[in-house]
Each structure stands twice: as C-alpha cells, then as structure tokens.
Amino acid sequence: STNARVVILGGGAAGMAMANRLSRRLDGARISLVEPREIHHYQPGWTLVASGVWHPDKTVRPNARFVPAGVFWVRQPAAGIDAANRRVELEDGSSLDYDYLIVATGLQLNYHLIDGMSPELVGTQGIGSVYASLEGATRTRDAIDAWIAQGSGKGIFTAAPTPVKCAGAPLKMTFTTLSRLENSGHRDDFQIEFMAPGAALFSQPWVNDFVKQRFDDQGVTRRHHYRLSAIDPGARQAEFVFVGPDSEFTSHHQLREAEFSEEGQRKVIADYDFIHVVPPMSAPDFVKESDLIAQAGPFRGEWLDVDIHTLQHNRYSEVFGIGDVIGAPINKTAASVKAQAPVVEDNLLAQMQNQPLPARHNGYTSCPMITGIGKAMLVEFGYDNDLAFLPSFPFIDPRDESWVAWTMKDRMLQPAYYAVLEGQA
Ligand code: FAD
C-alpha cells in the first residue's frame, strides 16, 4: 500500500495503458490522468481510412470507456512541468504536485516547419497527410479520390527528416495509392515520386531494400536527401532542400546544421497534382520547454530524456517516459507501447521501494507494412534491428506478402490495441 501521488501526462495508448495497470497494482495511490480529449483515436486505423478501406467512425471510442474507476481524470491539457519542484501546471492556471510522473503525451506534428503548410490545408489543393487527424485522414482519402478521378497527373509522396510515429505510414500511403491507381486502369497516366530526406526509406535494412525494389518495380521515382521545406498550395508547387548525403537525422537541430553545409543550399521546385505531406515531429512544446527534455546527444531539445531500456528519466529518477514522446532511435508505435507498459510498471514499482530496476525494454516494434490493398508483411524488430526478432507469429514468414498479414491489420490489431489500453496483454 502506498499514498504516493502519481501523475500520468497524456491518456493516449501509453498513458491509458499505464492508468489501468497502475490502478490495479498500486493500492491507495492517488493517480491522476491528465488528458483533455473526450475521444480516443485508434490512429493505426487512419492509414486504412485515408486509403478508402475503413469508415472513419470505426476508429473512434469515448475515453470514458477506458479510464479506470478510482483514477482522477483531469480533463484539460498540461501547460508546463516544473521538474525541480515535482509539479505539473495545467492550462487553467492550477497545478498538480506529484511524487512520481509518467510522461505519455505522444508527439507533436510540426507542420509549421514547412513554409506555407498548416494542418488546415489537408484535403484542399491536392494536399494529403495521413498524420494530421482523423478528419485529415478522411480528407486525404477525398483528395486522392479527386486526383484519381482527374485521370492523370503527378503525385509526390514525402517523408520527414525526424523520427516519426509509425515510420511505415508514409510508405503504406504510397503503396495503397499505387494499388488504387492500378485498379483505375490508368496507372500509366500518373507519375509518382517519393522524396526521402535520407538514404534509407525505413530503418530496418531488409525492409528498406524490399521497399526500394518494390518502388522501382512499380515505377515510383525515388529521390534521396531532400526534405520538404515549403509548399505553395495555390500554385501546387513544393520546394525541397538538399540535406546532404549522409543524413540520418534524429533532430531538427542536426538538420538545420546540415542544411548550411556546402551542399545544403541546393533546392528543387516541383509541381504536383497531389502531395502527401509528412511533417517533422518532436515532443510537444511544453515538454521541450521543461527540464525533462534531452540536453545533449541526438535527441537534444526535441525528445524526452529517458534511458531507452529502463524508460526512467536520465536525470529525475521519479520520472518515467513511455510512447512516442521518448528519445529513442526507433519504436514510435502502439506495438512498442504494448512492450513498454509492463517495463514502466515494474520499474516504477521498484523505484517506489528504492529497489534496482528489474525490467528492460528491448526496443520491440512492429509494423504491418501494407504493400497494396489486400496485401501486407508483418515486420517486427527491436534495438538490434533483427527482423526475426521475437516473432509473434512464427508460422508467418515476415518476408512474405500475404493476405493473412493484411487481415491482421484489417481485423485483428484493433481489438489487441484496446486490450493494451485496458492494461491487459
Ligand atoms: P498518443 O496515442 O498519440 O497519445 C498521446 C495523448 O496525449 C493524446 O491522447 C493527447 O490528447 C495527449 N496529450 C497531448 N498533449 C497533452 C497535454 N499538453 N496535456 C495532456 N495530454 C496531452 N502503431 C502501430 O503499432 N501500428 C501501426 O500500424 C500504426 N500505424 C499508425 C498510423 C498512423 C497514421 C499514425 C498517426 C500512427 C500509427 N501508429 C501505429 C502509431 C501509434 O498510434 C502511436 O505510436 C501510439 O498512439 C503512441 O501512443 P502515445 O500514448 O505515446 O501517443
């Protein structure tokens, strides 16, 4: 039994899973869950919404269904974290003191770092972005429909120069659009370009090679080392900046530094009929402004400073991080949240008893890589990048594109995801 005050910031996949786990494990603790939204979004479903496969309503559930009894739900955003004084400031000016803090705010979409771009533009002027929101995913679907109905034209698909959630999503959007163009019977009347900020399209080498080969086979023109820097919606033009040949960027700072290198000044202006925009991503501003943000290393100024294995903050032992907000090289997926939640639970309990932390996260992440409508590959890996890493389905060879893997994405992952929110699995 404990009377500790535990504050969980954010009630998405990670925060909700922790609220459920801790309310069961911690007898007597005062647990507050800070989450402004009434609605929980099943974001992995947005790819299927934007591809015209799912109805948008299928991805929405009320948060009230998941918040456990006994957890105090603070229905407003956090506005600041005073880590030295163990205090969270809320939007209405009040504050919450904590003994233990779990940062699970997810990440921030930085559309504003692309000149001329804003999330409101998604769905207008041939602009799509699966990440923007559920409405954005729906309007992306409509923009792709309108472009296909046009009968010809050029589509540009982009990737971001920062870590992103579900790193496969920009590739999946390209593949499902290719399927739809092929089904329209007019594939040859459309040009498709993929603009990548780095040499790789995906961190896992085998998947990277596979996707590159598949893009080449399907007539997708690849250009590497370019990031989307500006967009002119009226003129349907996009500006890309060359970011150097060895760019494996983990933060916007590094990117800015590289851009001012010798080659950094080269720009390309490209016309498009449709563009899929993937914004740079980072921790939310209020986390960046706190002392919890990484002070050095590749995640400096952009991501939460945690030990990537124990998920404990590197400088504040009473603070843990989970989900998309953490500074880690891979693994911004709900599948990683599932693997991280028991680690944070066990380590937080040990920390409360001043015991050594018993649990370690191995970086597990997985991604049903959709390679067309009705086809997918189940890709699983961890910090050591091994493709055959702890396969959940040993009977499926991850290298096979199969209807089985598609069916998992289409039918089986959503119930498994809700089980994670409920603190099971
Ligand atoms: P989120 O689930 O985003 O939750 C963050 C929560 O914090 C939100 O509820 C938000 O309201 C809250 N919050 C934000 N700011 C504040 C604040 N100031 N104060 C309080 N609360 C705040 N994952 C997979 O495993 N497989 C997939 O196939 C897959 N596909 C994806 C496709 C798309 C298009 C997208 C967008 C994501 C996909 N993901 C996928 C990733 C997955 O959705 C995320 O990794 C997962 O939701 C991370 O959980 P989280 O709790 O860290 O963040």
Side-chain angles (χ1 to χ4, degrees), residues 9-15 34-37 40 43-44 46-47 76-79 104-107 130-131 165-166 169 172 284 286 322-325 332-337 366-368 409 417:
L9 284 186
V34 184
E35 171 56 63
R37 290 193 187 149
H40 183 92
Q43 299 173 57
W46 293 357
T47 319
Q76 60 167 313
T105 56
L107 54 69
V130 68
Y131 285 104
K165 51 183 162 185
C166 192
K172 298 177 202 179
F286 85 98
I322 179 168
D324 293 347
V325 69
K332 299 194 188 302
T333 63
S336 306
V337 167
S366 84
C367 172
K409 173 74 186 168
Y417 173 95

Side-chain angles (χ1 to χ4, degrees), residues 185-342:
H186 298 280
R187 169 68 187 90
D188 294 344
D189 299 322
F190 291 89
Q191 282 166 270
I192 309 283
E193 275 184 19
F194 195 95
M195 301 291 275
L201 298 178
F202 197 82
S203 63
Q204 205 290 325
W206 189 86
V207 180
N208 180 45
D209 292 345
F210 177 92
V211 172
K212 282 182 173 174
Q213 184 63 52
R214 184 51 65 90
F215 276 0
D216 294 350
D217 293 347
Q218 288 188 273
V220 176
T221 307
R222 290 188 278 120
R223 295 225 236 172
H224 291 275
H225 312 301
Y226 284 94
R227 76 158 181 111
L228 178 60
S229 49
I231 192 158
D232 180 346
R236 296 206 182 197
Q237 279 185 334
E239 179 196 85
F240 292 87
V241 177
F242 186 77
V243 288
D246 53 355
S247 46
E248 289 306 331
F249 299 108
T250 48
S251 79
H252 212 74
H253 295 302
Q254 293 182 355
L255 182 68
R256 282 279 145 88
E257 283 157 20
E259 275 178 18
F260 293 104
S261 70
E262 265 172 78
E263 288 171 294
Q265 304 304 323
R266 263 164 57 193
K267 283 182 183 172
V268 166
I269 306 285
D271 293 317
Y272 60 82
D273 297 284
F274 173 77
I275 187 165
H276 187 254
V277 175
V278 178
M281 303 185 195
S282 68
D285 284 341
F286 85 98
V287 178
K288 283 195 208 175
E289 286 152 14
S290 78
D291 196 39
L292 298 181
I293 206 75
Q295 310 287 309
F299 306 114
R300 167 172 59 107
E302 300 282 311
W303 302 97
L304 191 75
D305 190 14
V306 295
D307 179 292
I308 63 170
H309 295 109
T310 64
L311 305 174
Q312 185 178 43
H313 196 274
N314 282 320
R315 289 168 287 121
Y316 292 91
S317 61
E318 69 282 8
V319 178
F320 287 80
I322 179 168
D324 293 347
V325 69
I326 69 169
I330 52 169
N331 74 16
K332 299 194 188 302
T333 63
S336 306
V337 167
K338 176 179 171 170
Q340 291 166 358

